[in-house]
Amino acid sequence: MLLTGLISGVARRMVPTAALAGASYVAAKSLAAFTSPDARPGSSRSMDPLYPSHRPTTRLQKTFIAVGSALMGFGDPTDGAHIAALGDATSNGCFGRMRSQMLSDPTGVRILKERPQIGFNEHEWAQLGSLPEGSFGRAYFEQMRRNGITWSSRPPVRFVDNEEDAYMLLRYRQCHDFYHTVLDLDISVLEELAIKVFEWRQTGLPVGLIASAAGPLRMPSDERARFFADYLPWALQCGAQAKPIISIYWEEMWERSIDDIRKEMGVWLMPSRNSVTRAENSTARID
């Protein structure tokens, strides 16, 4: 802990956040917009886009995009756009666990076949707000309104070079706010990092590990102590024991009791929260 505090102090005092953010922003933007020689139309080694938002890039470009996005995320860990770019650039070849989870579950197979995407029109969104208290849909609506965020803010996948992998990453990204709702966590840096640890234990995607390793360096000492003492152990255990979140058809859960969903998933809340708060209260089978 002493070493962590020393590193954090150096990072917070010696790296001017504005300069760091500016430099990494320029790097990420320029690399994201650049089309490599290997991907130019007409090149003998060109890669055609595999899906509408796909941006073919070389490994070197992905490395620079990852570094630039990580620096930007370090400047503001709650900035979803940079975390998304980091996820894109570091996830190629890391979808084995998610694919296995989905293919071993009938609902996961159905999701891969039907390719649902999260979206609402004005009437559908209002309907969520009129659902009964205690329902998943109402809890999701209230959580989004409380935090001033919208379902449409999740950026598309751009740098994943496999169409099915890109959909899995998009599904994971679009469902991120559902995880906040089910785990009853808001969008502070502390709670966002706890979500990232939970997601990493679930999916194995590097972005969660990278974010949760770098994020605490930006925290004040009291929040960092809380993260390591309380949030990190809970997120690691809960993420390891919960049913795979990627194989849940959330759109079919709106009217269900959120507490029942938590029990079936095998998740429990932080001790400071109410409702399902202990692993033994879960009805999920842990193999």
Side-chain angles (χ1 to χ4, degrees), residues 21-51:
S24 55
Y25 179 83
V26 171
K29 282 289 186 181
S30 60
L31 283 163
F34 177 74
T35 302
S36 72
D38 291 350
R40 289 175 185 164
S43 168
S44 61
R45 296 184 294 168
S46 66
M47 175 188 289
D48 293 328
L50 301 175
Y51 46 92

Side-chain angles (χ1 to χ4, degrees), residues 24 28 64-74 81-87 89 159:
S24 55
F64 278 103
I65 292 169
V67 171
S69 300
L71 290 173
M72 282 295 290
F74 180 78
H82 303 301
I83 299 300
L86 177 63
F159 306 121

Side-chain angles (χ1 to χ4, degrees), residues 213-255:
L217 300 177
R218 292 283 299 167
M219 289 180 175
S221 58
D222 58 337
E223 286 193 5
R224 187 168 59 250
R226 288 180 62 201
F227 175 74
F228 284 113
D230 300 323
Y231 284 82
L232 180 61
W234 165 80
L236 288 171
Q237 184 184 6
C238 191
Q241 294 188 0
K243 286 186 174 180
I245 52 178
I246 195 63
S247 294
I248 296 176
Y249 220 128
W250 298 100
E251 299 91 329
E252 299 176 350
M253 301 284 190
W254 302 131
E255 298 182 8

Side-chain angles (χ1 to χ4, degrees), residues 38-246:
D38 291 350
R40 289 175 185 164
S43 168
S44 61
R45 296 184 294 168
S46 66
M47 175 188 289
D48 293 328
L50 301 175
Y51 46 92
S53 60
H54 185 216
R55 301 295 295 275
T57 47
T58 65
R59 290 183 180 180
L60 180 61
Q61 286 178 300
K62 288 182 176 68
T63 299
F64 278 103
I65 292 169
V67 171
S69 300
L71 290 173
M72 282 295 290
F74 180 78
D76 182 5
T78 64
D79 191 318
H82 303 301
I83 299 300
L86 177 63
D88 283 16
T90 59
S91 294
N92 284 275
C94 298
F95 290 94
R97 182 187 300 181
M98 292 176 68
R99 179 175 286 102
S100 177
Q101 289 171 342
M102 298 189 80
L103 293 179
S104 63
D105 184 292
T107 303
V109 171
R110 187 158 64 94
I111 291 171
L112 281 177
K113 180 179 179 180
E114 297 176 1
R115 303 288 178 92
Q117 296 197 25
I118 306 300
F120 306 91
N121 59 39
E122 189 172 326
H123 175 68
E124 291 169 339
W125 184 248
Q127 281 188 316
L128 290 184
S130 66
L131 290 173
E133 292 280 353
S135 65
F136 170 66
R138 177 68 175 271
Y140 169 66
F141 177 88
E142 295 293 346
Q143 187 261 342
M144 298 289 278
R145 185 172 65 174
R146 181 173 66 251
N147 289 302
I149 54 180
T150 173
W151 57 267
S152 61
S153 61
R154 299 299 169 190
V157 176
R158 294 180 293 168
F159 306 121
V160 173
D161 297 329
N162 177 284
E163 189 271 337
E164 186 174 75
D165 289 351
Y167 173 74
M168 287 190 288
L169 184 59
L170 179 66
R171 178 69 179 177
Y172 152 81
R173 184 174 295 165
Q174 290 185 339
C175 294
H176 175 81
D177 294 313
F178 299 151
Y179 314 151
H180 276 275
T181 301
V182 170
L183 298 174
D184 195 20
L185 295 176
D186 287 327
I187 58 172
S188 67
V189 173
L190 180 63
E191 294 182 316
E192 195 69 61
L193 290 177
I195 291 281
K196 290 301 180 188
V197 174
F198 176 88
E199 291 175 338
W200 170 68
R201 287 292 283 169
Q202 279 273 307
T203 67
L205 296 179
V207 61
L209 183 61
I210 296 170
S212 58
L217 300 177
R218 292 283 299 167
M219 289 180 175
S221 58
D222 58 337
E223 286 193 5
R224 187 168 59 250
R226 288 180 62 201
F227 175 74
F228 284 113
D230 300 323
Y231 284 82
L232 180 61
W234 165 80
L236 288 171
Q237 184 184 6
C238 191
Q241 294 188 0
K243 286 186 174 180
I245 52 178
I246 195 63

